[in-house]
Structure formats: structure tokens, C-alpha cells
Amino acid sequence: MAAPTPMPTDTQILTLNQWLSPAYPVGSFAYSHGLEAAVDKGWLRDASSLTEWLEDVLKHGAGFSDALFVAAAYRVGCVVKLTEIDATARAFAPSKERLFESTQQGEAFCAVTAAISGAELHGLTYPVALGRAAALQDLPLHLTIKMYLFAFVSNLVAASQRLMPVGQTEGQQILRALTPTCEQVAEQAETGNLTMLSSTSFLIDIASMQHETQYSRIFRT
């Protein structure tokens, strides 16, 4: 019989809450993950289409792949292998802007987290940086992935509210509806490895590419 999973402590929960809060200075508010281009093209029009889009992001796009990178970085013990995982994360980015999104947030996360915790973190992509930091702080992997995914999709909902007619209540309803998906993806990633890497969110990837040349925009990606 497998040993029971220890319950996370209040300090562990609050540490993750701090790291993944919108107040943590990684600049997540500046990135729309291609949502701005999707809205501009008319692919997203309301809360219903946004919910379906974000569910695909979580299940078939960066949500799933990022979760796998968090888990891989968490488990690795060798700095050389950590560098290899980070190189894979960079190579897996489907567009210039998505790579920019991951590296800029990752570098900011590394700088701030190293400054407040003393952890050795330097220039990693965002999910790899989070996984490594969580391991160094002995934070629960499953909770780390779940909270990362929820923070990720929360930021995209907030971005959508600046782009389309989605109100505050509707936004919270979307997050409520996507919570089981965050839990499902976290469970898959926790027991998985990088051989499971895949992405079939083609329109989402195309949106991030088209944003690069969008004439008028308010987000960096």
C-alpha cells in the first residue's frame, strides 16, 4: 500500500499563494497568450467560447506541457539535467511570443524568488523555474501544479475581461467551471514525464503567431 500523501502545511500553501499571486512581480498581466489576436479575429465572442478555448489550452496546449515541465524540474536533482529540461521547454514554444512570454516571466520569477528565499535560480523558463523553486522549498508537487494552472488560467480570464464583454461574475463562473480541469491536468502531469509532451491546440498557437504582427494591441503576447 502506498504511503499517504502528507497534508501541505499552512506555510507551504501561503508560499505558493505568494508566488502565484497577481501581486508577485513577474508581469503576468502583460501577456494574453494569443487571446488578443483570437478576439481580434472574432474567434472568441463570449463567455461560452472563452471557456471552451481555455479548456483546450489546459488540456491540449501550454497548460498540459507547462505542468509536465513543472514536474520534471521538480524531480530533477542535477543542474545539468535541469538545463536540458529548460532547453526543451524553450524548444517546445510554438511561437516567438510564447517563448518571450515564458522566458520573461521565468527570469522575473527567478530574480524575485532568489532575492527573498536565497534559492539558486537563474534565467529559467517560467514553469521550469517554478518546479525547481518548489523542490528547493520542499513544497508539494501536486499542489504546486494545481495552483500554477489555476493562476495561469486566472490571468487569461483577467486578460479576456479587458478584450471582450466578459463581466466579473462571468469571469468567476469560468474559473469555477475550469477548476476540475486544472485538477485533472495536474494529476496527469504529476504522474507523467516529458515523453508525454504534445500539443494539439493549433488555433491557439496560430493566434500567438498572428499577434506578432497585429497592428494595434495592448498585450505583449
Side-chain angles (χ1 to χ4, degrees):
M1 181 179 294
T5 303
M7 293 292 291
T9 67
D10 289 347
T11 299
Q12 290 173 325
I13 294 171
L14 290 174
T15 297
L16 283 169
N17 188 65
Q18 179 185 7
W19 288 356
L20 296 168
S21 163
Y24 208 64
V26 299
S28 58
F29 65 88
Y31 305 97
S32 82
H33 203 73
L35 271 176
E36 185 169 16
V39 173
D40 183 64
K41 295 293 182 182
W43 299 339
L44 297 175
R45 298 179 180 276
D46 52 26
S48 177
S49 59
L50 176 64
T51 303
E52 293 178 2
W53 182 276
L54 295 180
E55 186 170 20
D56 283 344
V57 172
L58 288 170
K59 288 183 175 180
H60 309 297
F64 182 58
S65 60
D66 277 7
L68 288 173
F69 286 124
V70 172
Y74 185 96
R75 295 194 179 101
V76 72
C78 172
V79 175
V80 173
K81 290 189 178 297
L82 180 69
T83 302
E84 292 175 357
I85 292 169
D86 190 65
T88 302
R90 293 169 187 267
F92 202 70
S95 69
K96 176 183 176 181
E97 286 198 352
R98 290 272 291 279
L99 177 60
F100 179 77
E101 181 179 298
S102 185
T103 55
Q104 292 298 298
Q105 291 186 82
E107 288 173 8
F109 180 87
C110 285
V112 177
T113 306
I116 65 176
S117 69
E120 289 290 330
L121 296 168
H122 305 284
L124 300 168
T125 51
Y126 192 23
V128 175
L130 177 66
R132 180 63 170 172
L136 292 174
Q137 294 291 312
D138 197 28
L139 304 179
L141 175 58
H142 186 66
L143 184 63
T144 300
I145 299 173
K146 279 199 298 185
M147 292 185 66
Y148 172 79
L149 292 173
F150 191 79
F152 170 61
V153 77
S154 295
N155 184 65
L156 296 185
V157 168
S160 73
Q161 291 173 326
R162 297 164 63 183
L163 296 167
M164 55 193 296
V166 174
Q168 296 297 323
T169 299
E170 278 186 312
Q172 294 305 310
Q173 289 171 335
I174 292 170
L175 289 175
R176 179 67 175 177
L178 292 173
T179 296
T181 304
C182 291
E183 295 174 345
Q184 176 189 348
V185 173
E187 184 175 346
Q188 292 173 341
E190 184 184 17
T191 58
N193 55 60
L194 295 186
T195 65
M196 298 169 60
L197 274 175
S198 66
S199 178
T200 53
S201 55
F202 303 120
L203 193 59
I204 294 166
D205 296 341
I206 290 170
S208 73
M209 296 173 194
Q210 294 191 343
H211 188 266
E212 294 178 19
T213 56
Q214 188 169 318
Y215 173 71
S216 177
R217 59 187 193 174
I218 59 176
F219 290 96
R220 303 181 78 180
T221 66

